[in-house]
Amino acid sequence: MQHQAKQHQAKQHQEQLQVACAQINARLGDVEANLAHHLDVIHDARRRGVELLVFPELSLTGYGLGPRVLEVAMPSEDPRLIQLAKAAAGMQVIVGFVEEASPGEIYNALAILQDGRVAAVHRKLNLPTYGGLEEGKWFSHGSRLTEVPVRPGWSTTSMICADLWNPALVHAALLARPAVLCAPINSATGIVSEDFSNEDNWVLNVRFYAMTYGTPVLMANRYGAEGDSHFWGGSRILGPRGDTLAEAEDREMLIHAELSRTAIARARFELPTLRDADSPLIRELMAGYR
């Protein structure tokens, strides 16, 4: 009986994943203050039993850095990232930072922290240069997708903000069939144009991907001011049918939800987008385009 109870407990552990998004603000260029804030949130998440925690894009630095990216850039082995990784023991924690890959080679990146180390780095693929966005002036383009196991039965892939506005990139990332899509963003009101509602259209964007691919989405946005910009929050955790499992209020806060492998399996079985992706045909159709 004791053996059966342990087997049942192990099966339940594999079936569920406790996830959270940290909707916080960042002090522009003040890595030390932001680091301390991250440590507080990580400790709070551990108390809640969180296994996967997602911070917003560039959460350690703030967004509107301009040429100051050189001042805050750090290599992936920076002691401050290792400090966060050690604090995150027992969790996978995704934080946004400016990565210095080599002198002058700077990326808008995510550090995926796990087991006391930087398990992986995802570099932003799609650098926006429209509206009030000018990342292409300061950052190099990433060129790889990133999938990282959380624990048996669960893995994540991460896309940074504008990565999710290139559907081909998201499709390519989800062909690996990760259990969860993590979406750290830095979205400010009116940054694209006066007529484009980030508040409405981000919800449409992530609900579409969650529902179409049967993949839960963790969207972590900032809340608060940076200069003249207002980051509107709206962080949310979506289930594999695009249903809202948790949604942040208009303030800094941690939101939490429980994900189910069974729910993911049913959603993907009923709408088999990944099964029927037909990648060879897509490659053939795209061969004539540049």
Side-chain angles (χ1 to χ4, degrees):
M1 288 292 291
Q2 188 177 20
H3 178 67
Q4 289 179 331
K6 287 183 177 179
Q7 283 186 321
H8 177 73
Q9 187 177 24
K11 185 176 180 181
Q12 284 294 104
H13 180 65
Q14 188 176 28
E15 159 67 14
Q16 299 165 345
L17 187 72
Q18 306 299 321
V19 302
C21 292
Q23 179 167 287
I24 63 170
N25 203 5
R27 296 187 186 181
L28 185 64
D30 192 342
V31 175
E32 299 307 319
N34 296 328
L35 176 68
H37 196 5
H38 279 62
L39 289 169
D40 288 341
V41 174
I42 289 170
H43 293 322
D44 183 20
R46 182 187 292 107
R47 287 194 295 269
R48 300 180 189 216
V50 170
E51 299 168 275
L52 170 62
L53 172 62
V54 182
F55 284 89
E57 175 187 16
L58 295 175
S59 58
L60 281 172
T61 64
Y63 184 76
L65 294 159
R68 294 177 64 192
V69 294
L70 288 172
E71 299 172 15
V72 298
M74 63 182 77
S76 59
E77 63 272 16
D78 188 278
R80 290 165 292 186
L81 293 177
I82 302 303
Q83 181 183 1
L84 287 174
K86 290 179 178 178
M91 289 187 282
Q92 183 178 113
V93 175
I94 299 173
V95 305
F97 76 113
V98 176
E99 182 198 13
E100 182 188 60
S102 68
E105 182 187 359
I106 307 297
Y107 293 93
N108 179 340
L110 300 174
I112 296 95
L113 310 175
Q114 197 163 3
D115 299 325
R117 63 187 180 90
V118 180
V121 171
H122 175 69
R123 297 167 174 171
K124 192 168 184 176
L125 303 162
N126 185 30
L127 300 178
T129 54
Y130 48 81
L133 305 164
E134 51 180 28
E135 291 178 42
K137 289 178 64 176
W138 315 116
F139 297 109
S140 298
H141 288 263
S143 59
R144 295 181 181 178
L145 300 169
T146 310
E147 184 187 9
V148 184
V150 180
R151 58 174 169 79
W154 293 92
S155 64
T156 61
T157 197
S158 296
M159 310 293 283
I160 305 173
C161 206
D163 288 348
L164 288 124
W165 291 100
N166 185 326
L169 290 177
V170 181
H171 180 74
L174 294 179
L175 286 176
R177 291 162 174 74
V180 183
L181 174 60
C182 298
I185 73 172
N186 252 336
S187 179
T189 298
I191 194 68
V192 174
S193 74
E194 292 183 2
D195 297 324
F196 186 92
S197 171
N198 276 329
E199 292 86 339
D200 293 339
N201 290 326
W202 264 113
V203 177
L204 178 64
N205 177 296
V206 293
R207 285 196 66 193
F208 169 79
Y209 290 127
M211 177 274 298
T212 301
Y213 291 94
T215 301
V217 177
L218 276 61
M219 187 191 91
N221 191 23
R222 287 172 66 181
Y223 183 82
E226 182 184 280
D228 295 331
S229 297
H230 171 69
F231 292 86
W232 51 275
S235 301
R236 63 197 60 232
I237 299 170
L238 302 181
R241 299 182 189 277
D243 47 318
T244 300
L245 303 180
E247 182 178 352
E249 301 169 6
D250 292 340
R251 60 185 178 93
E252 293 190 62
M253 65 180 300
L254 188 71
I255 58 171
H256 168 266
E258 181 177 271
L259 301 183
S260 160
R261 271 179 58 87
T262 297
I264 296 169
R266 287 175 176 165
R268 292 182 182 182
F269 183 79
E270 293 170 9
L271 186 66
T273 303
L274 291 167
R275 186 196 72 188
D276 298 343
D278 202 348
S279 298
L281 175 60
I282 291 173
R283 282 196 295 269
E284 180 181 337
L285 293 172
M286 293 184 67
Y289 295 92
R290 297 183 63 179

